[in-house]
Amino acid sequence: MVRVIMHGCNGAMGRVITGLAAEDQELEIVAGIDVNPGPDQGYPVFPSLNDCNVQADVVVDFASARAVDGLLDYCEAHGMPLVLCTTGLSEEQVRRVGSASEKTAILRSANMSLGVNLLMKLVQDAARVLAGAGFDIEIVEKHHRRKKDAPSGTALALADSINSAMEDQYRYTYDRSHRSEPRDPGEIGISAVRGGTIVGEHDVIFAGTDEVITFNHTAYSRAIFAKGALSAAKFLAGKEPGLYDMADVVGL
């Protein structure tokens, strides 16, 4: 039985993960961390990790970027494996993740779903074929009105996947309102839409002369991310220090 501390247990994702974990025979949430009061989750909830006195095998994080520094400090100091799902990290925090992974196992992913991680592989293959044929690449992502970071971590991860397959020849463009010139073929355009209750939608568009190929992933509920986080927790428990991602979990 894998024992989990849920970091951000009273948030939307924390509540979904708690519900799914209750039905999982291989995993148990033994404690939660949240600065905000919430309903009884069936396990003790502490305001910070430093206040938590419950033994666990792994921390699953779906909190906020503001809490990541303290989270990394704790996991590094205690050798606690960490499934880091929070997006919107600063460049300094990303570097900090890398250094902390030298002391403990960290799985960081911009998106926990199986479908999105497969999509990252598919768009790499498409780019290798289509970029050389003059296809332009655009990414459009859509999320609910309450999402704070833009573009989404998944959109950036998709762009990074393409760029890594193409020897980092692209730069990213987020806004063209200040320009009056043709599109630069050396760019990947990334656009963000915010509105309503959209869980998450990503389109990767390869636009060529007289034809367009679009890869789409649509999330209809948060459950797909919660299932991925639980799979990642079971994968990461007991792993050696290092930096892992969902591709390691799903075998891509």
Side-chain angles (χ1 to χ4, degrees):
M1 179 73 70
V2 176
R3 299 167 298 173
V4 174
I5 294 174
M6 184 66 232
H7 190 255
C9 63
N10 290 332
M13 280 303 307
R15 294 194 299 270
V16 174
I17 290 173
T18 295
L20 288 176
E23 303 172 359
D24 195 314
Q25 301 299 311
E26 301 176 355
L27 179 148
E28 179 185 7
I29 298 180
V30 294
I33 309 297
D34 209 297
V35 296
N36 299 312
D40 181 14
Q41 299 277 35
Y43 49 76
V45 177
F46 303 90
S48 75
L49 280 164
N50 291 324
D51 295 318
C52 181
N53 59 4
V54 179
Q55 296 295 313
D57 302 304
V58 60
V59 174
V60 173
D61 165 70
F62 260 110
S64 73
R66 295 190 305 274
V68 165
D69 293 326
L71 172 64
L72 291 172
D73 288 342
Y74 177 89
C75 290
E76 184 176 16
H78 293 80
M80 177 69 73
L82 168 64
V83 178
L84 180 59
C85 305
T86 293
T87 60
L89 305 187
S90 68
E91 292 183 4
E92 176 57 33
Q93 287 175 317
V94 172
R95 288 193 291 270
R96 181 78 176 82
V97 169
S99 62
S101 70
E102 297 175 3
K103 301 288 183 60
T104 190
I106 297 179
L107 188 149
R108 175 175 176 255
S109 180
N111 192 297
M112 304 304 295
S113 85
L114 171 63
V116 165
N117 283 275
L118 175 60
L119 178 61
M120 290 182 189
K121 174 68 166 58
L122 295 175
V123 296
Q124 284 187 322
D125 294 340
R128 293 186 184 101
V129 175
L130 299 174
F135 281 68
D136 298 317
I137 305 170
E138 295 282 317
I139 297 172
V140 179
E141 56 96 345
K142 305 172 187 176
H143 284 88
H144 52 86
R145 63 167 68 96
R146 291 183 295 177
K147 184 170 177 62
K148 296 178 181 179
D149 56 311
S152 69
T154 300
L156 291 172
L158 287 165
D160 288 344
S161 294
I162 294 169
N163 217 6
S164 65
M166 302 305 297
E167 300 180 348
D168 294 322
Q169 64 179 271
Y170 291 102
R171 59 181 178 80
Y172 305 158
T173 297
Y174 308 104
D175 178 22
R176 297 189 176 95
S177 63
H178 62 287
R179 292 163 48 182
S180 180
E181 59 188 26
R183 185 190 192 282
D184 184 343
E187 67 186 26
I188 295 176
I190 305 176
S191 303
V193 176
R194 296 289 176 268
T197 59
I198 302 170
V199 175
E201 183 172 342
H202 293 83
D203 290 315
V204 182
I205 303 164
F206 292 87
T209 302
D210 299 330
E211 60 180 334
V212 175
I213 300 170
T214 301
F215 292 84
N216 169 270
H217 179 273
T218 301
Y220 291 102
S221 81
R222 292 184 173 92
I224 63 169
F225 311 125
K227 291 175 183 176
L230 293 177
S231 295
K234 287 182 276 191
F235 167 85
L236 200 64
K239 284 289 188 296
E240 294 294 320
L243 190 58
Y244 302 84
D245 60 27
M246 281 300 291
D248 297 309
V249 179
V250 300
L252 292 176

